[in-house]
Amino acid sequence: MSQQEHRAQRREAPEPTEGNLAVPKVVLAWILILIFWGVGYYAWQIGKPMLGGDSRSVVSQPAPATTGEGSEGATASSGGADGKALYSSHCSACHQASGQGIPGAFPPLADSEWLLADPAIAVSIVHDGLQGPIEVHGDTFAGVMPNFGATLSNDEIAAVLTHVRSEWGNDASAVTADVVKEHEERFGDRGPWTVEELTDVFGEP
Ligand code: HEC
C-alpha cells in the first residue's frame, strides 16, 4: 500500500507556487509611458475648441452633384446654401434647435435684439466671433462664440443668418452674401468682437 503511494507521489509534479518575482521592469515602463501619454494628450487638448463629433463640417464634404435645371429643394435663396441644414450642423449644438439657447450658457436667438437689429451686427458676430459679457433679453451671458469666417463661405453665412432671422417667430429681413462681402472688405480678418466694440461701430441694437 505505502509502496503504491510513493509511486504516485513520484509521478506527480510539485504544486506550482506563485514565487516572489518582481513585476518586470518593461511592464512598469509601459504603465508609465501610457500614463504620460494620457495626461499629456489631455493637457494638450485643454483650451482647444470643443467641436464635437468628428469635427467634419458641411464645407469639407464634396458638394452634391446638381445635375441640370430642375434641382429642387432648399436652394431658393443665397446661392444654394441651405440655411436650415447649416443651422443644425453649425449652431444648434449651442443655441439649440428651438433657438432658445441654454440659460446661463448660450444666449437665445429667438427674439434676440442683437440678431434682429442691423444685419451687419449678426454678420460680424458670426463671421468673427464674440467674447465678453453680452445681455440678451435682460440675461447676461459671458461665453465665447466661435468665428465662422474661415469655416463658412459668404453664401453660407448669409443663408444661415437668413434662416435664423426668420425662424421661431423672428421676422427680420434676409441677409445677402454681399453684406458679408462688405463686412470682409471693411474689417478684414479681425479677431472676435466684444459688445463695446459692436455698439461703438454699429450703435445700440
Ligand atoms: C460653441 C457654441 C456656439 C456655437 C456653435 C454658435 N454660437 Fe452663437 N453664441 C455662443 C455664445 C456663448 C454667445 C454669447 C457670446 C458672449 O457671451 O459674448 C453667442 C452669441 C451669438 C449671437 C449674439 C447673441 C444673441 O443671442 O443673439 C448670435 C446672433 C449668434 N451667437 C449666432 C450664432 C449662429 C448663427 C451660429 C451658427 C453659425 C452660432 N451662433 C454658433 C455660442 C455659440
Side-chain angles (χ1 to χ4, degrees):
M1 190 60 180
S2 82
Q3 274 265 321
Q4 294 277 323
E5 272 173 20
H6 275 102
R7 264 203 5 239
Q9 273 175 1
R10 254 181 275 128
R11 196 177 61 225
E12 298 292 335
E15 281 287 303
T17 55
E18 199 177 340
N20 53 359
L21 292 176
V23 179
K25 295 238 162 49
V26 230
V27 174
L28 288 178
W30 258 115
I31 292 174
L32 276 180
I33 289 172
L34 287 175
I35 289 177
F36 271 110
W37 172 74
V39 173
Y41 184 79
Y42 182 77
W44 181 54
Q45 295 294 327
I46 288 177
K48 300 234 173 111
M50 286 192 288
L51 294 171
D54 62 3
S55 311
R56 264 182 305 181
S57 70
V58 171
V59 275
S60 63
Q61 292 165 0
T66 42
T67 38
E69 334 72 71
S71 64
E72 304 139 58
T75 51
S77 65
S78 304
D82 181 348
K84 191 172 177 154
L86 287 166
Y87 182 79
S88 328
S89 55
H90 289 89
C91 322
S92 67
C94 297
H95 294 287
Q96 305 298 295
S98 61
Q100 298 295 332
I102 295 182
F106 304 116
L109 298 185
D111 201 22
S112 153
E113 58 266 43
W114 297 91
L115 176 60
L116 300 178
D118 183 352
I121 297 182
V123 168
S124 303
I125 293 174
V126 172
H127 189 277
D128 304 322
L130 179 73
Q131 64 188 19
I134 181 171
E135 208 179 297
V136 184
H137 285 188
D139 293 327
T140 304
F141 297 85
V144 176
M145 157 91 186
N147 67 307
F148 288 90
T151 343
L152 299 181
S153 70
N154 291 359
D155 272 346
E156 289 170 325
I157 291 179
V160 76
L161 282 176
T162 299
H163 171 73
V164 293
R165 276 161 62 91
S166 60
E167 187 71 14
W168 317 296
N170 286 353
D171 186 18
S173 60
V175 178
T176 62
D178 289 341
V179 180
V180 187
K181 191 155 162 258
E182 274 163 35
H183 170 88
E184 284 185 337
E185 279 160 7
R186 185 165 169 203
F187 298 105
D189 232 357
R190 84 193 291 294
W193 294 81
T194 62
V195 162
E196 291 76 48
E197 291 165 345
L198 284 176
T199 44
D200 278 353
V201 177
F202 302 106
E204 291 284 335

